């Protein structure tokens, strides 16, 4: 069997392809026609399958093609956001690296919260009505998508005033969450079912427009400008964590893995991210998780301080995935890492 | 012919020297006397020519010296900012890596805008008088230099009020530009005339004083302090871009290269930077370009995530330049990359 | 003699252990029992000595154990903050890499300021009473610790008003310091007594909660929220400095080293950090120094742009320390680098 690694041309595809090649596996790119030029610049794909969009991965000929190349698909954020993920995990018959069921859980707010609760991880409080609010909140308006349609309110009265001003009468569809004041950190973990171990491979913070540009506008000008914050990810900035905080994050990561094993058999496989706000070094709130590779790992295509400690040079998350696939092939344990 | 790479001791000289050596070329440093100690610490220059300042590069003996070593000068930001660039490109007879005429265009606001317009790139709007203003603006006062002498106004009335308060009566010399709200990104490109291809080698954002310190001052204290923002570059912070934005940036970069070919023959050669503000991931405004190596590339002297995809380890912009020179020597195409 | 490198499990221990191994020395970890699991994940310690806390380093059996392994202890921030440092440097009989007396100076504000004054380095002004204040200030309340208990005031009146509001009647224990407006930079230096030379190995800025989250909150919301800034280090962000600023920083670093030689014989040995605020590229104020490895170096476990210029790949500060120890062993000059 001559396994190949396939992914869709977006999000973190470059490092997934590069990682596959560095581990001696064939790299297959499901490339949106409009991005052919982009991916050809990097000369990383051994095979290029042109498609129109993510939906096309469900096309029978595409799946047949992948199967004929013994491909394992590495899913990433675009696959989750751009298709009906429930249908995808049901109808996509090619093996997926990771637990496909978890992708559904990741994209459903209620399942997501259930998983974090099961793991005993502190999350921001949610409020079902503006009247209940007793702290600063961030509010997601109905239909908000991809970082737009949010606003901050300092408390109940401010929230009610702002909703009225926006002409929002009904509370239906509003998502009101505690606004935790603190810095964000996004540690990138990898759970190896072969080694039964959680690894930390990097940390970043997101670089979001326009919210990360506000700090450069003097407060007095901000008041005049009346800017509405948006949270659209444009890129990522590398971080390291205070070493004495690592333990706490590993603890959260392991409890998360345990919870997935309990609720979403066979549990976590491969990369995940615990998206957290630090009120203080020992006061960490998790507002989100990703149960697959995150784009912040693109910072470390040439290795991170943490991956260097574990693997020496050049171990990206993409390569770590390919390495797990290669090891599983060698020991005939592929069934442990694909679903 | 035994080509050497020369540069002036400032800006990005360390990586230019290191890159030359890593590609097997001799490294020549035109070193300001006052910085001799600094550059000697790094032991990168094979030859050190002591000068007083950039102006001295025009001295006949210096040029003779460079010529005797078959030097190619790699120009950078200090060379553009510290001499009369028009005179420099005319009187400096040693070959320059890149298109020397473009250095003139870079340092002339009108030529610069002409080039961006030709490329069909969206730029911030400019206003010839305060009365025309209908959006937030950033204003450059007459004589403003190196990041000082700017202020922000939220609109026409705020602008007029602020100008009056500052005692600015005349509008002559004012430069009034739309203040685009969004995060800044500085992708570092390299156009290879040998390969006829644009490469992305890294991305950064600038770290500017005092504007990047404002966000750490609580808004209420800022109002009391009444701080005037300054935009003086102190350093750089590494970034990666959202992978789905790369295409758009390559498109801008290629249109820029095409425009230079049309207006400033022989067009772009080597490193350049498209300095942009992202209102949203798909809404990018270019406020500036650099037609030579930028200091943000100093972040990636030991390689970047992007250069790793293309070249493996340790490919800095400085080394990429030296590599192009070496390749051009080997194929006798030096005339394609120097002017 | 078969020297080993020992450190305490916290702060920057991972890179100290990794560095020792990369230089061919044995790595000994004094590991707090509660963090055994964390450090075992990274498989870097050749020997693990379990302890309860830093205090335990003074236990006779622990010291005997270290002595039997010819250990040299590499001290870091946790050792300074978590024990009575005066007692520690007196009672800890195992050789310490660096000048143990300097650790005492680092942890005493008056000695610290004396050292910076001796070096002729500009520091923020301090005020002995609120009445003297004539500029923005940052105030440390009595008992403030680890980044909490600070506030900013825009001037004398604002300060007095805020103190009154907080119910602070007495000025005793208050530390009132000029609030310098500008960006922070933390360059990581290494002074080699063997080479008698200062090296720059990296630069970072800290990532502090909650102060680095304020900029993302719109000014109008900040005013409603009335957030008190805290300065607790959560992590670090990598930087490079503008190349024309390096000279100035080397100058400060060398004057600092000279001052330590004069006041705290035998002077600086190994890593130190000059913690600075840049009002402008040529206007640098030093608010703090560390006379040992700082946690910001964790960013560069796999090398930094600066260490790459000097040593090629993978030279972390931890490894640089081990390298100095190895070189000193080889040339029988250990007495130059330990105390």
């Amino acid at each position: 069997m001559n396994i190949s690694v396939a992914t869709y041309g977006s999000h973190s595809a470059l490092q997934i392809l590069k990682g596959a090649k560095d581990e001696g596996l064939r790299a297959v790119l499901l490339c949106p026609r409009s991005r052919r030029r982009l991916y050809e610049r990097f000369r990383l794909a051994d095979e290029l399958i042109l498609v129109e969009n993510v939906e096309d991965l469900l096309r029978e000929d595409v799946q047949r093609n992948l199967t004929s190349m013994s491909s394992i698909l590495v899913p990433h954020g675009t696959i989750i956001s751009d298709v009906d993920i429930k249908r995808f995990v049901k109808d996509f018959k090619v093996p997926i690296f990771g637990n496909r069921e978890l992708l559904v859980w990741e994209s459903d707010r209620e399942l997501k919260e259930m998983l974090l609760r099961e793991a005993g991880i502190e999350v921001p409080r949610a409020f079902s009505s503006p009247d209940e609010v007793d702290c600063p909140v961030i509010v997601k308006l109905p239909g908000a998508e991809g970082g737009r349609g949010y606003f901050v309110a300092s408390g109940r009265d401010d929230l009610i005033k702002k909703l009225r001003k926006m002409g929002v009468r009904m509370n239906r569809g509003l998502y009101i969450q505690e606004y935790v004041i603190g810095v964000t950190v996004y540690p990138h973990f990898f759970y190896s079912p072969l080694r039964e171990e959680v690894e930390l491979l990097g940390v970043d913070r997101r670089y979001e427009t326009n919210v990360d540009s506000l700090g450069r506008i003097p407060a007095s000008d901000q008041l005049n400008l009346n800017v509405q914050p948006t949270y659209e990810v444009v890129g990522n900035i590398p971080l390291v964590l205070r070493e004495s905080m690592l333990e706490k994050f590993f603890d959260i990561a392991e409890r998360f893995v345990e919870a997935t094993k309990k609720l979403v058999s066979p549990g976590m496989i491969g990369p995940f991210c615990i998206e957290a706000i630090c009120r203080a070094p020992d006061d960490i709130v998790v507002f989100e998780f990703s149960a697959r590779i995150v784009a912040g790992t693109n910072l470390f295509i040439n290795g991170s301080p943490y991956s260097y400690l574990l693997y020496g040079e050049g171990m990206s998350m993409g390569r770590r995935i390919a390495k797990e696939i290669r090891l599983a092939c060698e020991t005939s344990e592929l069934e442990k890492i694909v679903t």
Side-chain angles (χ1 to χ4, degrees), chain A residues 127-139 141 151-171 174 176:
Chain A
F127 301 94
S128 56
S129 135
D131 288 321
E132 292 174 10
V133 167
D134 60 358
C135 65
V137 290
I138 181 158
V139 182
L141 292 168
F151 69 93
V152 174
S154 60
R156 202 189 78 107
D157 295 351
D158 189 35
L159 172 56
I160 289 170
K161 200 176 69 188
K162 282 179 172 166
L163 286 172
R164 196 169 299 148
K165 212 167 156 187
M166 285 182 233
V168 179
R169 295 269 165 77
M170 308 286 287
N171 299 329
L174 282 186
I176 308 172

Side-chain angles (χ1 to χ4, degrees), chain A residues 24-303:
Chain A
L25 299 173
R26 284 176 68 71
V28 178
L29 183 64
L30 296 147
C31 188
R33 202 172 297 276
S34 61
R35 291 197 187 143
R36 178 178 193 159
R37 185 103 185 282
L38 172 68
Y39 285 97
E40 284 183 343
R41 290 173 192 280
F42 291 95
R43 300 178 184 83
L44 292 167
D46 296 307
E47 298 288 339
L48 203 81
I49 302 176
L50 289 177
V51 294
E52 296 307 321
N53 48 44
V54 185
E55 286 283 333
D56 274 4
L57 270 65
L58 292 174
R59 268 169 39 198
E60 215 182 304
D61 60 320
V62 169
Q63 296 199 42
R64 230 183 357 250
N65 204 339
L66 289 171
T67 304
S68 75
M69 294 186 286
S70 303
S71 284
I72 294 174
L73 180 83
V74 177
H76 53 54
T78 305
I79 292 178
I80 288 183
S81 63
D82 284 16
V83 288
D84 173 347
I85 190 69
K86 270 191 181 162
R87 192 164 71 90
F88 182 80
V89 304
K90 192 163 68 62
D91 293 349
F92 188 71
K93 305 300 188 190
V94 177
I96 289 180
F97 177 81
N99 180 345
R100 63 174 71 207
E101 198 52 42
L102 258 176
L103 303 179
V104 176
W105 283 59
E106 175 183 334
S107 47
D108 180 309
R109 191 161 60 213
E110 281 177 35
L111 293 176
K112 204 165 204 165
E113 284 173 4
M114 190 191 304
L115 204 44
L116 290 169
R117 254 198 319 276
E118 172 68 30
I121 292 170
E122 185 182 348
V123 297
R125 294 156 64 206
F127 301 94
S128 56
S129 135
D131 288 321
E132 292 174 10
V133 167
D134 60 358
C135 65
V137 290
I138 181 158
V139 182
K140 194 176 171 181
L141 292 168
E145 233 187 316
R148 290 188 166 263
Y150 292 82
F151 69 93
V152 174
S154 60
R156 202 189 78 107
D157 295 351
D158 189 35
L159 172 56
I160 289 170
K161 200 176 69 188
K162 282 179 172 166
L163 286 172
R164 196 169 299 148
K165 212 167 156 187
M166 285 182 233
V168 179
R169 295 269 165 77
M170 308 286 287
N171 299 329
R172 217 181 305 149
L174 282 186
Y175 185 65
I176 308 172
Q177 193 181 51
E178 177 188 4
Y179 185 83
V180 180
I181 293 169
V183 294
T184 52
V185 300
Y186 297 76
H188 319 144
F189 290 103
F190 184 92
Y191 178 70
S192 164
L194 302 181
R195 299 189 176 169
E196 297 185 348
E197 205 170 3
V198 170
E199 301 167 5
L200 174 66
L201 291 181
V203 187
D204 78 296
R205 52 158 291 188
R206 291 191 183 152
Y207 190 48
E208 293 172 333
T209 199
N210 63 18
V211 76
D212 283 314
S213 75
L214 299 184
R216 286 167 58 99
I217 307 174
S220 57
D221 292 312
Q222 277 191 55
L223 295 180
N224 289 331
L225 287 169
N226 195 22
V227 187
Q228 288 308 309
T230 57
Y231 302 84
E232 298 184 278
V233 180
V234 160
N236 303 270
I237 297 174
L239 290 183
V240 287
L241 283 173
R242 189 174 179 154
E243 195 160 306
S244 58
M245 292 171 64
L246 293 181
E247 210 185 354
K248 171 83 173 167
F249 272 108
F250 271 109
D251 179 56
I252 291 173
E254 291 198 326
R255 279 191 281 132
F256 176 73
V257 169
E258 285 315 304
T260 61
K261 285 184 181 174
K262 211 157 155 186
L263 299 188
V264 202
S265 176
M268 190 66 232
I269 296 168
F272 63 103
C273 181
I274 295 297
E275 309 177 9
I277 301 174
C278 304
R279 276 201 202 99
D282 58 357
D283 187 358
I284 295 163
V285 180
V286 175
F287 64 98
E288 187 63 278
F289 70 79
S290 297
R292 35 78 201 171
I293 190 169
V294 288
T297 60
N298 289 336
L299 286 162
F300 305 116
I301 294 181
N302 51 339

